[in-house]
Amino acid sequence: MPARYDLATTHLDPPFAVVDSAAFDANAAAMLQRAGGKPIRVASKSVRCRTLIQRALAMPGYAGVMAFTLAEALWLAETGTSDDILVAYPTADRGGLADLVKHADAITLMVDDPAQLDLIDAAVAPGSRPAFRLCLELDASWRPFGAHIGVRRSPLHSPAAVGEFARAIAARPGFTLVGVMGYEAQIAGLGDAQPGRRAYSRMVRFIQRRSVAELAERRAAAVAAVRRHAELEFVNGGGTGSLHLTTAESAVTELTAGSGLFGPTLFDGYSAWRPQPAALFALSVVRRPAPGIATVLGGGWIASGPAHGSRLPSPHLPAGLRLNSSEGAGEVQTPLLGPGADALRVGDRVWFRHAKAGELCEHVNELHLIDGDEVVDVLPTYRGEGKAFL
């Protein structure tokens, strides 16, 4: 494998990133199988390359995009990337709301608070615009005995609260409620078979079993409460780590996933399915400071989230390398230890995997698409197209 990647990229000087087309397509197909016939909306945050978003959308079974900001959604609509874009998070982008008038049929905004509606109305008066499409977000966290297990997103947890907000939207001019979304982070975003964390993994499996059952019942009740006030076009749920579970809910009509296309290291800790590593980046060995140590230039491409070793990039190829725990992945250099280090010479390449999917693309302007042992295309990332949305 390292020989194939090295052969394909001999003309390139690191740092650069590649996507293995066969692994990307295999991951996309596996996700569709796990979705059990329900369409998958592509999470653009996890890809950040328009060409690859469109590659996924071209596969039967993928439909629509979940964008992470309104500015990104407007750009995707303007460039013809998709005409069905759900913005995953509420927006306070007043300029973007004014521009939304031109793409109101293609873009759906996320809301969970009347204050967000007030902000939208203040930015673009209801009488001067078409009705903006809205999706109401249900808080999908599990709350046993008053605890909060999951991420802090929507304040709307109970079916009654969701139904009341839907009623308020229906009574307010300038808006059309078309969807409900709930992201079960404690199910989709937590690995249940993490290496070296046996007790933690058992706890995660317990949480997920209980949370799946509770959420299925509560989500069905919440959707029923919303349908009393709106004709819903979709009910969205899931993530790469929970496609096979969320698809079983009859109330859910579509799923969202994206990280599984690239197969970052955070998904190595899942027992149900581990995507193939499809996105990698290469760095050059520039120093041999001591026996058993090889140092590459750069490498500090740290993923977002809690400050934990799981957010560091991982040396992938050649085998037998690990980060130095006292230095980690550094901004300007990264020492690598292990039995594979002594075989490396100055000028050799080390292939790394990022901890999270799309964040890799914030560091490079292009992705080199590899088929076999050849680079068959060079694809601009969002950054390469001059876009940085967060």
Side-chain angles (χ1 to χ4, degrees):
M1 190 68 75
R4 177 165 72 87
Y5 289 152
D6 287 343
L7 181 61
T9 60
T10 52
H11 60 295
L12 299 175
D13 288 320
F16 60 85
V18 303
V19 170
D20 187 315
S21 63
F24 181 94
D25 291 346
N27 289 339
M31 287 162 62
L32 287 174
Q33 184 177 22
R34 292 169 60 75
K38 290 185 179 176
I40 298 177
R41 188 179 289 272
V42 179
S44 64
K45 175 179 74 72
S46 302
V47 183
R48 305 190 200 196
C49 170
R50 287 196 302 117
T51 306
L52 291 177
I53 291 171
Q54 291 175 311
R55 186 184 184 101
L57 290 174
M59 297 182 67
Y62 286 89
V65 171
M66 180 178 282
F68 53 99
T69 70
L70 176 55
E72 181 207 13
L74 289 166
W75 179 61
L76 294 177
E78 289 164 358
T79 55
T81 305
S82 176
D83 60 1
D84 177 10
I85 306 168
L86 173 62
V87 182
Y89 303 89
T91 187
D93 181 355
R94 293 172 174 82
L97 289 168
D99 291 339
L100 179 58
V101 171
K102 296 175 289 187
H103 300 284
D105 291 339
I107 296 173
T108 302
L109 300 175
M110 191 68 65
V111 294
D112 56 38
D113 189 315
Q116 297 154 357
L117 305 183
D118 295 339
L119 188 149
I120 294 169
D121 281 343
V124 190
S128 64
R129 68 173 197 245
F132 284 166
R133 294 165 53 87
L134 300 181
C135 177
L136 186 157
E137 181 166 1
L138 166 72
D139 172 46
S141 65
W142 185 40
R143 299 186 180 180
F145 309 109
H148 186 286
I149 300 175
V151 293
R152 298 283 183 175
R153 292 178 64 113
S154 170
L156 304 173
H157 185 78
S158 69
V162 171
E164 179 59 25
F165 191 37
R167 184 196 63 78
I169 293 173
R172 191 158 177 163
F175 300 103
T176 303
L177 181 57
V178 299
V180 172
M181 191 272 276
Y183 173 56
E184 52 271 26
Q186 72 279 9
I187 303 169
L190 290 179
D192 66 339
Q194 298 190 24
R197 306 182 74 187
R198 184 174 299 177
Y200 176 81
S201 296
R202 283 199 301 268
M203 180 187 70
V204 168
R205 289 193 290 272
F206 172 80
I207 288 171
Q208 291 177 342
R209 286 194 302 271
R210 296 297 184 90
S211 183
V212 164
E214 184 275 336
L215 179 58
E217 182 177 346
R218 180 162 53 88
R219 178 151 41 198
V223 170
V226 173
R227 290 191 186 278
R228 298 188 190 105
H229 306 285
E231 293 291 332
L232 294 178
E233 296 178 13
F234 63 87
V235 176
N236 182 280
T240 292
S242 68
L243 291 174
H244 63 300
L245 298 171
T246 310
T247 192
E249 294 186 36
S250 59
V252 174
T253 65
E254 66 171 36
L255 308 167
T256 290
S259 295
L261 296 170
F262 279 0
T265 61
L266 281 179
F267 286 88
D268 290 349
Y270 286 73
S271 62
W273 177 61
R274 296 179 184 179
Q276 298 181 33
L280 303 96
F281 64 95
L283 300 176
S284 293
V285 176
V286 293
R287 282 177 171 161
R288 289 299 317 274
I293 304 176
T295 301
V296 297
L297 187 66
W301 298 3
I302 313 301
S304 62
H308 186 270
S310 64
R311 261 54 185 180
L312 296 176
S314 298
H316 182 56
L317 298 170
L321 298 172
R322 69 179 187 277
L323 299 178
N324 180 349
S325 61
S326 65
E327 295 191 48
E331 179 186 9
V332 289
Q333 72 164 35
T334 299
L336 299 171
L337 313 179
D342 279 329
L344 292 171
R345 300 166 300 174
V346 169
D348 285 348
R349 293 170 178 173
V350 175
W351 293 88
F352 287 76
R353 294 170 62 203
H354 204 269
K356 295 183 76 174
E359 292 182 20
L360 167 64
C361 294
E362 295 298 318
H363 298 275
V364 294
N365 292 332
E366 54 199 20
L367 298 170
H368 299 269
L369 189 67
I370 291 181
D371 184 4
D373 58 4
E374 293 183 292
V375 172
V376 295
D377 206 350
V378 180
L379 315 177
T381 62
Y382 282 12
R383 168 177 151 157
E385 295 199 68
K387 300 296 181 180
F389 295 108
L390 282 177

